[in-house]
Amino acid sequence: MCGIIARVGDSDDAVDELLTGLENLEYRGYDSAGLAVKNGGGPNVFKREGEISRLKTALDDEAPSGGLGIGHTRWSTHGPPTDENAHPHTGCGDRVAVVHNGIIENHDQLREELQARGHVFESDTDTEVIPHLVEEHLAEGATAEEAFRRTVRRLSGSYAVAMLVEDSDAVYATRRGSPLVLGVDEGEYFLASDVPAFLDFTDDVVYLDDGDVVVAEPGGHVITDLDGNSVERTVKTVEWDPEDAGKGGYDHYMLKEIHEQPAALRQTLRGRADPATGEVTLDDFPPGTFDDVERVQFVACGTSYHAGLVGSRLLGTRGVPSQAFLASEYATSPPPVDGDTLVVGVTQSGETADTLAALRQAHAAGARTVAVTNVVGSTAARECDDALFIRAGPEIGVAATKTYSSQVVSLALFGERLVRDVTGSRSDDVERLLQGLADLPGQVQQVLDYSKARRVAKQYRDSDAYFFIGRDTVHPVAMEGALKFKEISYEHAEGFAAGELKHGPLALVTPNTPVFAVFNDRDDEKTLGNVKEVEARGAPVVAVAPEGHEEVVQHADEVLTIPDTHPDVTGVPANVQLQLLSYHAADILDRPIDKPRNLAKSVTVE
Ligand code: F6R
């Protein structure tokens, strides 16, 4: 995700204000931090791998003074967390310093062009192409502002960028697809990824639109479009308490992270799938990467295991032999593995001891390993042969929400790469599947806008237990729904394969145990049969189902509706409904939602 900030003012205390801003943005990333400050002359850059405290310590020895500065806190997407990959990035001549949040999709091509013209790169980041391009335009005689505009025109992907240039007293900034807000105070300006960054200094804010270009100097600021035409933006006063601001106005990180899912999913998908051509592009996994793979094993724990189950089903139904294992069981009683086996560790943190143990076990037995993770510098990413990053941005709430959705989408993309390499042909339904993935951000937004999960949670708040059922790709969703429910509400909840209900659990079903039945438009009549069994025992039924299922509506007491989509991805919006249900159930019961008892975000013991 990353956070950026810029400060423009007459007084020389840019460093202090930038550091305060970065601390308030740390929730957006904490792999590395850096800043650049100007006091006449060129930008002075300071950056460190690790948390902001390390940058602060470095600045204790030689804090520069200046009124103009930019800062960055990083959540790695290109290259590991190192001093070199930390922002700000500079060009060859150190005349330009840039901070960036987002993904420059054409960075490979730009880097090649620039290298062919003699530019030398110091980092692995996509961002570094920006200062090199600006530098070239400056050398051609362009002003700093022209050089900035020309450079931005060359970028594709998503970005919020702020720049300092030698011999200019302005900060230049723009956005497309990544957030950027302008804070306005007397004689001072701030540009940042989010309002909390500067809430200690001003609460007057301009929300910028995609394509806006801001030039801010101590004497004033101008907002234009990319062609230089002036645009009008109104200043609004925000009424957030700085203490709550990290939660973006939400009561809990979990709710904020549930609401971040449309943006997280866009980030996961960006540049990786084209529904029109059926092409999947995963930078580190070109076609043929997995030609010698014959079977796939997923290893994971908890919520990530549920994502692994979905990944395994997607492969199995497309002709790739595949199984998902609980990592703790895998490490204890490993299945047969050889050099043709690919073992995929699904772990948002990349630090879960059980998953690491399973991956090490598989590696020692000769398997090839891949980590599917959210954390670029994590142990799983470093120890596995390869890594696929899910790009969900930091997750602070202990209960995994947005990382689950981004894991499922990443596994669907990765799965298609595997299907092609292992079976030699594309999935029959690939265009439809990729369109289903592309539609997810909008569909999840729809669920967030219209969900009636809070009312349902209230209605069944005094129940004895809560059961969740589903089959096929929504069986893992039923399991995940139950896990989330028990984890944060402390109420008894269980998830079952719909067909298994009658083989035992049905004995527990009573009028005081609501059953949440998840449908995905495949074999729905069978799940409906299971719902009728429940109905006959007098239990309330809440269906989580795609729109327009008349028969489901007839047999359900309540319906949590989800948009109609490819059955293999229906589980994502369905799970968002269940995340909201769990959240509201826990909120009504006044549970400590972000830090449930006995649990930790990263479980580093076996
Ligand atoms: C539940 C939850 C846990 C994790 C599990 C694995 O909400 O967050 O079940 O999914 O501890 O964690 P990672 O994905 O970090 O390996």
Side-chain angles (χ1 to χ4, degrees):
M1 186 148 86
C2 300
I4 69 169
I5 179 160
R7 188 269 190 179
V8 179
D10 276 326
S11 60
D12 275 350
D13 39 14
V15 167
D16 285 347
E17 295 188 2
L18 289 172
L19 286 172
T20 305
L22 289 177
E23 277 168 342
N24 292 334
L25 286 175
E26 204 164 16
Y27 75 91
R28 298 181 65 89
Y30 37 78
D31 286 344
S32 63
L35 52 79
V37 182
K38 242 174 82 48
N39 199 349
N44 279 317
V45 176
F46 298 82
K47 50 191 196 174
R48 285 289 180 278
E49 182 238 316
E51 293 181 7
I52 290 160
S53 52
R54 293 201 60 218
L55 174 68
K56 272 179 121 170
T57 311
L59 285 164
D60 279 347
D61 299 335
E62 42 170 345
S65 70
L68 242 59
I70 56 176
H72 188 271
T73 175
R74 179 165 186 247
W75 186 256
S76 315
T77 55
H78 287 88
T82 58
D83 286 355
E84 291 74 28
N85 288 336
H87 296 219
H89 289 287
T90 53
C92 301
D94 291 342
R95 296 181 64 196
V96 180
V98 167
V99 289
H100 161 227
N101 164 220
I103 295 173
I104 307 295
E105 279 167 17
N106 56 341
H107 74 103
D108 273 340
Q109 175 212 328
L110 293 171
R111 183 182 274 248
E112 269 172 38
E113 271 180 33
L114 286 156
Q115 280 171 331
R117 294 198 290 270
H119 288 260
V120 177
F121 281 73
E122 285 182 355
S123 77
D124 309 315
T125 65
D126 51 339
T127 306
E128 200 187 330
V129 297
I130 302 174
H132 287 279
L133 283 169
V134 171
E135 210 174 55
E136 282 203 340
H137 294 306
L138 290 173
E140 289 157 12
T143 63
E145 185 175 339
E146 279 163 7
F148 186 65
R149 289 179 191 280
R150 284 186 207 168
T151 298
V152 172
R153 282 196 195 98
R154 301 279 332 264
L155 307 177
S156 55
S158 69
Y159 46 82
V161 179
M163 173 182 90
L164 290 179
V165 178
E166 187 183 44
D167 300 331
S168 158
D169 281 335
V171 166
Y172 303 86
T174 189
R175 61 161 283 185
R176 179 163 305 281
S178 295
L180 189 67
V181 285
L182 172 69
V184 183
D185 197 13
E186 277 171 36
E188 248 189 329
Y189 296 102
F190 298 88
L191 284 139
S193 304
D194 201 354
V195 176
F198 51 71
L199 212 50
D200 288 310
F201 311 112
T202 181
D203 48 12
D204 287 338
V205 175
V206 177
Y207 290 95
L208 298 166
D209 280 353
D210 275 356
D212 286 356
V213 175
V214 180
V215 181
E217 294 175 276
H221 77 286
V222 183
I223 308 178
T224 56
D225 64 16
L226 199 50
D227 297 323
N229 305 306
S230 155
V231 293
E232 284 295 314
R233 300 279 174 252
T234 42
V235 179
K236 296 191 174 138
T237 303
V238 294
E239 283 162 13
W240 291 349
D241 171 346
E243 263 201 37
D244 285 339
K247 295 184 199 143
Y250 291 97
D251 288 342
H252 299 93
Y253 280 108
M254 182 183 176
L255 190 59
K256 176 169 180 269
E257 286 155 5
I258 289 174
H259 280 265
E260 280 171 355
Q261 288 178 107
L265 289 171
R266 277 191 200 99
Q267 187 99 322
T268 303
L269 284 161
R270 195 174 298 284
R272 288 174 162 177
D274 181 353
T277 60
E279 276 318 309
V280 171
T281 312
L282 297 172
D283 284 348
D284 294 332
F285 304 99
T289 307
F290 299 112
D291 276 354
D292 53 358
V293 167
E294 285 191 3
R295 72 194 65 77
V296 180
Q297 297 172 347
F298 293 89
V299 291
C301 306
T303 294
S304 296
Y305 170 65
H306 300 148
L309 282 171
V310 178
S312 171
R313 263 160 227 242
L314 296 185
L315 285 180
T317 52
R318 289 172 170 78
V320 179
S322 156
Q323 256 180 299
F325 296 86
L326 285 165
S328 51
E329 289 297 303
Y330 188 97
T332 315
S333 44
V337 153
D338 59 25
D340 301 329
T341 308
L342 178 72
V343 178
V344 180
V346 187
T347 165
Q348 65 81 21
S349 64
E351 302 296 346
T352 301
D354 287 323
T355 308
L356 293 175
L359 286 166
R360 286 171 190 148
Q361 167 89 41
H363 183 77
R368 191 167 157 190
T369 55
V370 171
V372 175
T373 182
N374 198 27
V375 183
V376 170
S378 61
T379 307
R382 284 183 282 112
E383 289 190 2
C384 284
D385 296 313
D386 290 294
L388 174 68
F389 299 110
I390 66 168
R391 303 176 181 169
E395 192 174 63
I396 292 168
V398 164
T401 52
K402 63 176 179 171
T403 52
Y404 172 83
S405 298
S406 289
Q407 280 172 340
V408 170
V409 168
S410 302
L411 290 175
L413 296 172
F414 187 61
E416 186 53 29
R417 164 84 286 120
L418 282 164
V419 167
R420 288 176 197 196
D421 288 355
V422 178
T423 69
S425 53
R426 303 155 39 125
S427 300
D428 294 343
D429 60 346
V430 65
E431 284 89 355
R432 223 182 120 224
L433 178 69
L434 297 188
Q435 189 57 55
L437 294 173
D439 291 340
L440 280 178
Q443 294 184 335
V444 167
Q445 188 61 57
Q446 242 174 289
V447 169
L448 295 171
D449 291 343
Y450 300 113
S451 175
K452 51 181 191 180
R454 187 169 183 92
R455 189 167 64 66
V456 172
K458 243 187 201 161
Q459 190 171 334
Y460 297 111
R461 59 178 291 174
D462 295 321
S463 305
D464 294 338
Y466 302 79
F467 298 127
F468 296 76
I469 59 169
R471 64 180 66 234
D472 184 49
T473 50
V474 290
H475 168 214
V477 174
M479 292 165 73
E480 172 58 11
L483 174 65
K484 208 97 310 171
F485 201 92
K486 69 179 92 164
E487 179 183 16
I488 58 167
S489 76
Y490 308 162
E491 294 295 303
H492 182 209
E494 298 299 336
F496 306 106
E500 274 296 294
L501 202 63
K502 57 187 175 299
H503 296 290
L506 201 54
L508 294 174
V509 169
T510 72
N512 210 23
T513 58
V515 176
F516 295 82
V518 190
F519 292 84
N520 72 345
D521 236 347
R522 200 185 270 148
D523 276 338
D524 279 357
E525 61 299 334
K526 286 190 183 163
T527 306
L528 200 58
N530 306 127
V531 160
K532 289 177 190 165
E533 290 155 15
V534 164
E535 213 185 354
R537 272 81 189 172
V541 173
V542 180
V544 183
E547 290 154 351
H549 278 226
E550 288 313 319
E551 229 193 326
V552 171
V553 173
Q554 260 175 36
H555 291 277
D557 296 87
E558 292 287 348
V559 183
L560 294 172
T561 311
I562 48 175
D564 215 357
T565 182
H566 191 299
D568 284 343
V569 301
T570 308
V572 174
N575 188 55
V576 173
Q577 283 283 20
L578 296 182
Q579 291 171 349
L580 289 168
L581 175 84
S582 301
Y583 172 82
H584 289 300
D587 188 41
I588 290 162
L589 293 167
D590 205 19
R591 306 294 192 219
I593 292 179
D594 285 331
K595 290 191 177 145
R597 69 184 174 206
N598 308 337
L599 300 177
K601 185 72 186 158
S602 186
V603 186
T604 53
V605 287
E606 279 182 63

